[in-house]
Amino acid sequence: MNVQTEHLDNHTARLTVELEPERFEKAKKDAARELSKKVNIHGFRKGKVPYNILVNYLGEAAIIEDAIENIGNDVYREALDASELDPYGPGNLEDVKLDPPTFIFTVPLQPTVELGDYRDIRLEYEAPTIDEADIEDVLEQLQQQFAEAEDTEDPAQNGDRIVADIHSTFADDAPESEDEDAAAPAKGDAFIHEHGAMIMLNEEDDPILPGFTAAMLGVTAGETREFDLEIPQGKEGFEEIAGRKVHFEVAVQKVQHVQLPEIDDDFAARMSENEENGPYNLEQLREKIRKDLEEIAEHDAKAAYAQKVLDAIVEQATIRYPEMAVEDRIEEMIRDLESRLSQQGLTLEKYFELAGQTQEELREAYRETAERSVERTLALREIVSREGIEATEDQIQAHIDMLVSQFGDQAHQFRMFFDTPNM
């Protein structure tokens, strides 16, 4: 067997494998023997049909096809060993030539990472701050969470709560961008889809987008309303789609009058009765909220800072990987989406119908994010390897304990999930 290796630009290799004619002829004879057991030819017993008769009956192409299938995997494995390539995943049989018998495979290669001087990277870290407004927001959320709600047939007023199914899509075309790789949502793409959403109508602090409350005032249970809103400039988390128009279809299941509790010492005691050092008075509750917010903000800030550092490392690194790595990541992203949709009672097919999008379009929209994720993962893996970072078994078990503890009485069931070798 003669193996020629050619390295391609897309981090794959092409293996051209020329077989000994005798080996290929034997593969054809073996394939013919197996095929003869499956056909009925007058005058011959199954499995005893001469080769030339079988060729006349089935055609040589059918025999060659089976021969290629039968020995293809063996040829591929032997060629990999001979080439000493390190494959990322399964190879692909690209072509077969018969004279002389030659198999041509493409092989995705293991990614390679050249990090550069990653230890020299320095970025400023800005410590987060918590102000009184942040604490007030939490208190208001607790106030609404423990409000007394009563279903009503009256038209919804400011301060009422609705329970509704929300379906919304972008109502305008994406603006032209100089960045050809930018994946702006297209007209008809999903904005928000949620079932059984509980929404407080508040004209001073509009839910979702400005104008939502005004559009829903006067609605009654069982009514559906449709309207368009514009995403305002400066709305946090929506900077890249500011100015776009969104079409809403809101099917209201319930309208509820809401009685908010007073935020006082009694309220604080109710909120903290299960705390280790509780119950608290209002000032103590505010201090506990501040401490919790500071811990969350610090965690988020450090995570964001680590991401910026990692992106800076990726920016100066040379990272090569096959297209298969990106496709694998896109598959993971689609499975994650499907899982989130199922929690809302939606299927992936229904999502495509509502969003006016095909799976191919979704995959293309995910591509840039998938490429960035692959590069971050590969860079981080290389750093872990170079720095000799390891997680001990005790650390792993402690982290699993933390993860499953939130499931209470069902913790043992989730622990069984983590005990599988893959996990």
Side-chain angles (χ1 to χ4, degrees), residues 314-330:
V314 169
E315 184 69 23
Q316 71 167 26
T318 301
I319 304 175
R320 299 183 180 89
Y321 50 90
E323 174 64 16
M324 185 181 288
V326 178
E327 293 296 328
D328 287 347
R329 182 67 187 106
I330 291 175

Side-chain angles (χ1 to χ4, degrees), residues 366-377:
Y366 276 165
R367 178 165 299 279
E368 183 179 356
T369 301
E371 289 173 350
R372 190 161 57 247
S373 175
V374 168
E375 290 169 1
R376 287 170 174 168
T377 299

Side-chain angles (χ1 to χ4, degrees), residues 338-355:
E338 192 169 16
S339 177
R340 295 195 303 272
L341 290 172
S342 68
Q343 295 172 9
Q344 302 176 33
L346 286 174
T347 64
L348 197 57
E349 290 72 21
K350 186 63 175 177
Y351 170 81
F352 289 137
E353 179 184 334
L354 293 169

Side-chain angles (χ1 to χ4, degrees), residues 161-207:
R161 183 168 69 190
I162 61 171
V163 179
D165 294 341
I166 302 176
H167 301 294
S168 59
T169 56
F170 287 91
D172 56 3
D173 293 321
E176 293 186 5
S177 172
E178 295 181 359
D179 183 359
E180 296 180 356
D181 295 328
K187 183 177 181 179
D189 282 359
F191 179 66
I192 292 176
H193 288 288
E194 190 169 346
H195 288 255
M198 301 179 67
I199 305 168
M200 292 291 297
L201 300 180
N202 185 342
E203 289 186 297
E204 295 181 0
D205 185 17
D206 239 320

Side-chain angles (χ1 to χ4, degrees), residues 126-150:
E126 185 176 343
T129 58
I130 299 298
D131 56 30
E132 290 301 311
D134 297 320
I135 298 172
E136 291 300 326
D137 285 345
V138 175
L139 287 171
E140 289 178 8
Q141 291 171 21
L142 290 171
Q143 187 186 35
Q144 292 180 9
Q145 182 180 344
F146 288 90
E148 295 181 2
E150 180 182 357

Side-chain angles (χ1 to χ4, degrees), residues 15 29 31 51 94 100 109 119 148 161 196 208 239 247-248 276 283 326 332 349 368 400 419:
L15 295 179
K29 292 293 192 299
Y51 182 84
E94 183 179 301
L109 300 177
R119 280 176 164 267
E148 295 181 2
R161 183 168 69 190
I208 306 178
E239 293 84 0
H247 180 75
F248 284 86
E276 185 177 349
E283 190 56 37
V326 178
E332 291 176 10
E349 290 72 21
E368 183 179 356
I400 292 175
D419 282 344

